[in-house]
Amino acid sequence: VQLQASGGGLVQAGDSLRLSCAASGIIFSTVSMDWYRQAPGKQRELVASITRGGDTNYADSVKGRFSVSRDNTKNTVYLQMNTLKPEDTAVYYCNARGRTRTLGPVNDYWGQGTQVTVSS
């Protein structure tokens, strides 16, 4: 299973970015996906989640600014980040939970992370 996270970069406060997490080797219809972030010196925190059925949940710090979505035809989950703030600066990771075979166990997989830097 591979999770390829992309879309990070250096932006100014108030700008937008869209992160992508493309999954392969997993049955995407079984996948629930979380986006985490980790800033220097801080613990990794859960930012947004999307279930197999498309239900979403967000950390209070990003509600109203971030939006998570999925495209099952592309095996990809997106994190649209608007009105970015310097405190959003972190490495962003995608985490997938799903099956690699129809009746197999649900396992947990991590992407490699993508850096988001927001300047003031």
mmCIF file of all heavy atoms in Angstrom, residues 54-73:
data_model
loop_
_atom_site.group_PDB
_atom_site.id
_atom_site.type_symbol
_atom_site.label_atom_id
_atom_site.label_comp_id
_atom_site.label_asym_id
_atom_site.label_seq_id
_atom_site.Cartn_x
_atom_site.Cartn_y
_atom_site.Cartn_z
ATOM 1 N N GLY A 54 -18.142 9.339 3.191
ATOM 2 C CA GLY A 54 -18.013 10.764 2.919
ATOM 3 C C GLY A 54 -18.346 11.677 4.078
ATOM 4 O O GLY A 54 -18.336 12.905 3.925
ATOM 5 N N ASP A 55 -18.629 11.114 5.253
ATOM 6 C CA ASP A 55 -18.846 11.960 6.422
ATOM 7 C C ASP A 55 -17.516 12.576 6.847
ATOM 8 O O ASP A 55 -16.477 11.914 6.791
ATOM 9 C CB ASP A 55 -19.423 11.142 7.579
ATOM 10 C CG ASP A 55 -20.834 10.659 7.277
ATOM 11 O OD1 ASP A 55 -21.557 11.334 6.528
ATOM 12 O OD2 ASP A 55 -21.210 9.585 7.783
ATOM 13 N N THR A 56 -17.569 13.822 7.274
ATOM 14 C CA THR A 56 -16.342 14.539 7.604
ATOM 15 C C THR A 56 -16.359 15.058 9.035
ATOM 16 O O THR A 56 -17.423 15.240 9.640
ATOM 17 C CB THR A 56 -16.142 15.725 6.648
ATOM 18 O OG1 THR A 56 -17.269 16.598 6.743
ATOM 19 C CG2 THR A 56 -15.997 15.255 5.208
ATOM 20 N N ASN A 57 -15.169 15.297 9.532
ATOM 21 C CA ASN A 57 -15.009 15.856 10.868
ATOM 22 C C ASN A 57 -13.733 16.688 10.874
ATOM 23 O O ASN A 57 -12.777 16.368 10.142
ATOM 24 C CB ASN A 57 -14.929 14.747 11.915
ATOM 25 C CG ASN A 57 -15.258 15.246 13.299
ATOM 26 O OD1 ASN A 57 -15.820 16.320 13.462
ATOM 27 N ND2 ASN A 57 -14.916 14.458 14.299
ATOM 28 N N TYR A 58 -13.728 17.748 11.686
ATOM 29 C CA TYR A 58 -12.610 18.681 11.683
ATOM 30 C C TYR A 58 -12.209 19.069 13.093
ATOM 31 O O TYR A 58 -13.031 19.140 14.002
ATOM 32 C CB TYR A 58 -12.985 19.955 10.920
ATOM 33 C CG TYR A 58 -13.389 19.713 9.500
ATOM 34 C CD1 TYR A 58 -14.713 19.534 9.142
ATOM 35 C CD2 TYR A 58 -12.430 19.646 8.488
ATOM 36 C CE1 TYR A 58 -15.091 19.290 7.841
ATOM 37 C CE2 TYR A 58 -12.791 19.407 7.175
ATOM 38 C CZ TYR A 58 -14.118 19.227 6.863
ATOM 39 O OH TYR A 58 -14.478 18.987 5.566
ATOM 40 N N ALA A 59 -10.922 19.378 13.233
ATOM 41 C CA ALA A 59 -10.463 19.978 14.472
ATOM 42 C C ALA A 59 -11.045 21.387 14.574
ATOM 43 O O ALA A 59 -11.260 22.062 13.561
ATOM 44 C CB ALA A 59 -8.940 20.038 14.481
ATOM 45 N N ASP A 60 -11.284 21.821 15.795
ATOM 46 C CA ASP A 60 -11.862 23.146 15.997
ATOM 47 C C ASP A 60 -11.003 24.241 15.368
ATOM 48 O O ASP A 60 -11.527 25.239 14.866
ATOM 49 C CB ASP A 60 -12.024 23.425 17.498
ATOM 50 C CG ASP A 60 -13.152 22.624 18.119
ATOM 51 O OD1 ASP A 60 -14.010 22.101 17.365
ATOM 52 O OD2 ASP A 60 -13.184 22.508 19.357
ATOM 53 N N SER A 61 -9.700 24.040 15.368
ATOM 54 C CA SER A 61 -8.778 25.065 14.872
ATOM 55 C C SER A 61 -8.884 25.288 13.364
ATOM 56 O O SER A 61 -8.408 26.314 12.861
ATOM 57 C CB SER A 61 -7.341 24.692 15.235
ATOM 58 O OG SER A 61 -7.004 23.435 14.686
ATOM 59 N N VAL A 62 -9.495 24.353 12.648
ATOM 60 C CA VAL A 62 -9.568 24.495 11.187
ATOM 61 C C VAL A 62 -10.997 24.539 10.664
ATOM 62 O O VAL A 62 -11.208 24.711 9.461
ATOM 63 C CB VAL A 62 -8.795 23.369 10.471
ATOM 64 C CG1 VAL A 62 -7.356 23.301 10.971
ATOM 65 C CG2 VAL A 62 -9.494 22.021 10.613
ATOM 66 N N LYS A 63 -11.966 24.384 11.545
ATOM 67 C CA LYS A 63 -13.365 24.398 11.103
ATOM 68 C C LYS A 63 -13.689 25.703 10.397
ATOM 69 O O LYS A 63 -13.321 26.784 10.852
ATOM 70 C CB LYS A 63 -14.301 24.220 12.301
ATOM 71 C CG LYS A 63 -14.508 22.785 12.716
ATOM 72 C CD LYS A 63 -15.476 22.682 13.881
ATOM 73 C CE LYS A 63 -15.616 21.241 14.341
ATOM 74 N NZ LYS A 63 -16.475 21.117 15.537
ATOM 75 N N GLY A 64 -14.359 25.566 9.270
ATOM 76 C CA GLY A 64 -14.725 26.746 8.492
ATOM 77 C C GLY A 64 -13.653 27.198 7.525
ATOM 78 O O GLY A 64 -13.917 28.031 6.650
ATOM 79 N N ARG A 65 -12.438 26.665 7.657
ATOM 80 C CA ARG A 65 -11.349 27.039 6.759
ATOM 81 C C ARG A 65 -10.877 25.863 5.918
ATOM 82 O O ARG A 65 -10.487 26.041 4.765
ATOM 83 C CB ARG A 65 -10.162 27.590 7.559
ATOM 84 C CG ARG A 65 -10.473 28.809 8.389
ATOM 85 C CD ARG A 65 -9.205 29.406 9.004
ATOM 86 N NE ARG A 65 -8.542 28.495 9.914
ATOM 87 C CZ ARG A 65 -7.283 28.072 9.773
ATOM 88 N NH1 ARG A 65 -6.562 28.497 8.745
ATOM 89 N NH2 ARG A 65 -6.741 27.258 10.667
ATOM 90 N N PHE A 66 -10.902 24.677 6.474
ATOM 91 C CA PHE A 66 -10.427 23.478 5.773
ATOM 92 C C PHE A 66 -11.613 22.627 5.370
ATOM 93 O O PHE A 66 -12.632 22.577 6.067
ATOM 94 C CB PHE A 66 -9.510 22.660 6.671
ATOM 95 C CG PHE A 66 -8.154 23.252 6.950
ATOM 96 C CD1 PHE A 66 -7.859 24.578 6.672
ATOM 97 C CD2 PHE A 66 -7.158 22.463 7.493
ATOM 98 C CE1 PHE A 66 -6.614 25.112 6.931
ATOM 99 C CE2 PHE A 66 -5.903 22.972 7.770
ATOM 100 C CZ PHE A 66 -5.645 24.316 7.490
ATOM 101 N N SER A 67 -11.435 21.929 4.270
ATOM 102 C CA SER A 67 -12.475 21.030 3.794
ATOM 103 C C SER A 67 -11.835 19.767 3.233
ATOM 104 O O SER A 67 -10.930 19.850 2.392
ATOM 105 C CB SER A 67 -13.304 21.721 2.704
ATOM 106 O OG SER A 67 -14.260 20.839 2.181
ATOM 107 N N VAL A 68 -12.296 18.614 3.700
ATOM 108 C CA VAL A 68 -11.762 17.344 3.224
ATOM 109 C C VAL A 68 -12.792 16.698 2.300
ATOM 110 O O VAL A 68 -13.997 16.753 2.550
ATOM 111 C CB VAL A 68 -11.387 16.418 4.404
ATOM 112 C CG1 VAL A 68 -12.588 16.096 5.286
ATOM 113 C CG2 VAL A 68 -10.707 15.154 3.909
ATOM 114 N N SER A 69 -12.307 16.118 1.213
ATOM 115 C CA SER A 69 -13.189 15.464 0.248
ATOM 116 C C SER A 69 -12.465 14.270 -0.359
ATOM 117 O O SER A 69 -11.257 14.100 -0.170
ATOM 118 C CB SER A 69 -13.610 16.449 -0.848
ATOM 119 O OG SER A 69 -12.474 16.911 -1.565
ATOM 120 N N ARG A 70 -13.215 13.455 -1.073
ATOM 121 C CA ARG A 70 -12.610 12.291 -1.700
ATOM 122 C C ARG A 70 -13.148 12.104 -3.103
ATOM 123 O O ARG A 70 -14.314 12.439 -3.389
ATOM 124 C CB ARG A 70 -12.852 11.027 -0.868
ATOM 125 C CG ARG A 70 -14.301 10.625 -0.700
ATOM 126 C CD ARG A 70 -14.448 9.520 0.345
ATOM 127 N NE ARG A 70 -13.819 8.280 -0.075
ATOM 128 C CZ ARG A 70 -13.325 7.372 0.766
ATOM 129 N NH1 ARG A 70 -13.384 7.576 2.072
ATOM 130 N NH2 ARG A 70 -12.791 6.263 0.310
ATOM 131 N N ASP A 71 -12.293 11.578 -3.966
ATOM 132 C CA ASP A 71 -12.687 11.227 -5.326
ATOM 133 C C ASP A 71 -12.396 9.745 -5.475
ATOM 134 O O ASP A 71 -11.235 9.342 -5.663
ATOM 135 C CB ASP A 71 -11.904 12.055 -6.343
ATOM 136 C CG ASP A 71 -12.357 11.813 -7.768
ATOM 137 O OD1 ASP A 71 -12.993 10.763 -8.035
ATOM 138 O OD2 ASP A 71 -12.072 12.665 -8.635
ATOM 139 N N ASN A 72 -13.435 8.936 -5.383
ATOM 140 C CA ASN A 72 -13.244 7.487 -5.432
ATOM 141 C C ASN A 72 -12.815 6.996 -6.811
ATOM 142 O O ASN A 72 -12.305 5.889 -6.934
ATOM 143 C CB ASN A 72 -14.512 6.770 -4.979
ATOM 144 C CG ASN A 72 -14.785 6.973 -3.499
ATOM 145 O OD1 ASN A 72 -13.880 7.275 -2.710
ATOM 146 N ND2 ASN A 72 -16.040 6.821 -3.099
ATOM 147 N N THR A 73 -13.026 7.825 -7.835
ATOM 148 C CA THR A 73 -12.587 7.425 -9.178
ATOM 149 C C THR A 73 -11.086 7.602 -9.343
ATOM 150 O O THR A 73 -10.482 7.006 -10.228
ATOM 151 C CB THR A 73 -13.307 8.233 -10.259
ATOM 152 O OG1 THR A 73 -12.900 9.597 -10.190
ATOM 153 C CG2 THR A 73 -14.821 8.150 -10.099
#
